[in-house]
Amino acid sequence: MTKGIVLAGGVGSRLYPVTKVYSKQLVMVYDKPLIYYPISILMLSGIKDILIITDEDTIPLYKKLFHDGNHIGLNISYEIQEEPRGIAEAFIIGEDFIGDDSVFLILGDNFFYGKLDFLREAVKQNDGATIFGYHVSNPRRFGVVEFDENENVISLEEKPSDPKSNYAVPGIYVYDSNVVKYAKQLSPSKRGELEITDLSRIYMNHGKLKCIKTGRGLAWLDTGTPTALLNASSFIGAIEARQGLKIACLEEIALRNNFITIEQFSDLMKTIPECNYKEYLQNLSSDTESGFDII
């Protein structure tokens, strides 16, 4: 079994002043709060047990938005990260939640759009750790993975001045249950954080790290700045207008992937106020065939 963690902490200083009031993961990206997008990725990967990690002030807002997740077939719980101490700290905070299961961590400000078969395969076959390589033009801004001639990972570097490849590691990671033990072995970096790159390097040194190259068909959008948020909103708006289908509509994903029944879906509709979002859901086809790759 694989569980999911959304790390939705951070101060969001680049999005000030709105983040003085609330978390950047609650900022609207086109027609939904940003956090809908990473949660949709977990749902589309078949994950129902989800832990949201954020600060104490924001948890009540997420609980108001999602409650315990039962209405969309999820089991959502919450934990506090008192201050940003690195991505890898999420596994220490989530130790009881993870238990003996594998875990899929996604950053709360990451957005992906495209065919997600590679994620479902990683979740299904994970043994050790799986990270992903996404080709970028400026790898100096990211964690960078280097491969040998057989596509094995031979090095991982965080924001290198001289990158050894153009493959960045986006904010999605799949680890086995050893991740808690390994995270506790980490020492803070010069930034004072428990680095996710150092965690993946432990798996690499044990011969247990895989990296899947995502290919050109996947869009990975940064949402850390006002310009990036605008670009992401424009991208989503253009796709939705062209297709007439919503991206990251959690209620639709729950229905089409059989997390809830059509009867539960109908009851859910009664709780949503009259709006364009509800109109879209009401107009869904009665065909509830599962297996939608891109939503």
Side-chain angles (χ1 to χ4, degrees), residues 3-291:
K3 296 174 179 175
I5 293 178
V6 180
L7 182 57
V11 297
S13 57
R14 292 183 296 172
L15 294 177
Y16 184 92
V18 70
T19 48
K20 186 176 181 180
V21 181
Y22 54 82
S23 166
K24 65 180 177 180
Q25 283 83 18
L26 290 171
V27 172
M28 289 290 284
V29 179
Y30 189 58
D31 58 352
K32 305 166 212 72
L34 173 55
I35 196 169
Y36 270 51
Y37 298 91
I39 287 180
S40 75
I41 298 300
L42 295 178
M43 292 176 69
L44 288 167
S45 300
I47 293 172
K48 296 182 179 181
D49 293 309
I50 297 174
L51 172 65
I52 297 176
I53 298 177
T54 188
D55 60 76
E56 186 174 7
D57 291 338
T58 308
I59 282 181
L61 301 179
Y62 287 141
K63 286 185 175 180
K64 186 174 182 179
L65 193 59
F66 299 121
H67 303 285
D68 62 2
N70 181 258
H71 62 292
I72 49 176
L74 302 180
N75 178 25
I76 297 178
S77 52
Y78 305 87
E79 289 287 352
I80 296 171
Q81 185 180 43
E82 295 179 355
E83 59 183 78
R85 285 190 288 256
I87 298 171
E89 189 189 34
F91 303 108
I92 299 173
I93 294 172
E95 178 177 7
D96 292 339
F97 170 78
I98 295 168
D100 296 324
D101 295 310
S102 296
V103 60
F104 180 158
L105 171 70
I106 184 167
L107 302 185
D109 59 357
N110 273 225
F111 166 63
F112 302 87
Y113 178 81
K115 295 279 286 185
L116 299 176
D117 292 343
F118 70 97
L119 282 179
R120 284 187 282 270
E121 195 65 23
V123 168
K124 185 192 309 182
Q125 298 190 3
N126 186 60
D127 176 24
T130 303
I131 59 175
F132 304 89
Y134 188 92
H135 197 279
V136 296
S137 60
N138 183 13
R140 291 178 181 85
R141 296 175 50 213
F142 307 99
V144 175
V145 57
E146 180 189 9
F147 304 91
D148 65 16
E149 63 275 8
N150 297 315
E151 298 294 311
N152 297 311
V153 178
I154 57 174
S155 77
L156 290 166
E157 296 180 289
E158 187 65 30
K159 298 181 180 178
S161 57
D162 185 20
K164 295 177 181 177
S165 83
N166 281 87
Y167 282 93
V169 180
I172 44 176
Y173 315 86
V174 182
Y175 295 105
D176 65 17
S177 59
N178 287 315
V179 69
V180 175
K181 174 179 67 177
Y182 292 153
K184 289 181 176 180
Q185 295 173 9
L186 297 176
S187 298
S189 66
K190 293 179 180 179
R191 300 191 303 167
E193 297 186 358
L194 301 181
E195 303 287 355
I196 195 74
T197 298
D198 292 340
L199 181 60
S200 294
R201 195 176 287 119
I202 293 176
Y203 279 95
M204 181 183 71
N205 293 337
H206 283 84
K208 287 289 190 177
L209 177 67
K210 300 186 291 291
C211 182
I212 299 173
K213 293 181 179 179
T214 61
R216 295 188 178 189
L218 182 75
W220 171 35
L221 301 181
D222 179 16
T223 56
T225 67
T227 300
L229 278 172
L230 177 62
N231 291 339
S233 291
S234 297
F235 177 86
I236 294 164
I239 296 294
E240 290 192 0
R242 173 69 70 178
Q243 294 184 338
L245 300 170
K246 284 197 176 296
I247 297 172
C249 179
L250 304 186
E251 295 85 355
E252 179 178 8
I253 296 171
L255 176 65
R256 294 196 182 277
N257 287 279
N258 298 318
F259 286 14
I260 59 175
T261 65
I262 190 65
E263 290 77 19
Q264 290 172 312
F265 182 78
S266 297
D267 290 339
L268 179 56
M269 289 303 94
K270 299 173 184 176
T271 68
I272 300 176
E274 297 301 322
C275 58
N276 290 339
Y277 193 84
K278 181 174 184 177
E279 182 179 349
Y280 170 79
L281 290 172
Q282 289 175 324
N283 289 334
L284 287 177
S285 168
S286 59
D287 175 13
T288 57
E289 179 183 356
S290 62

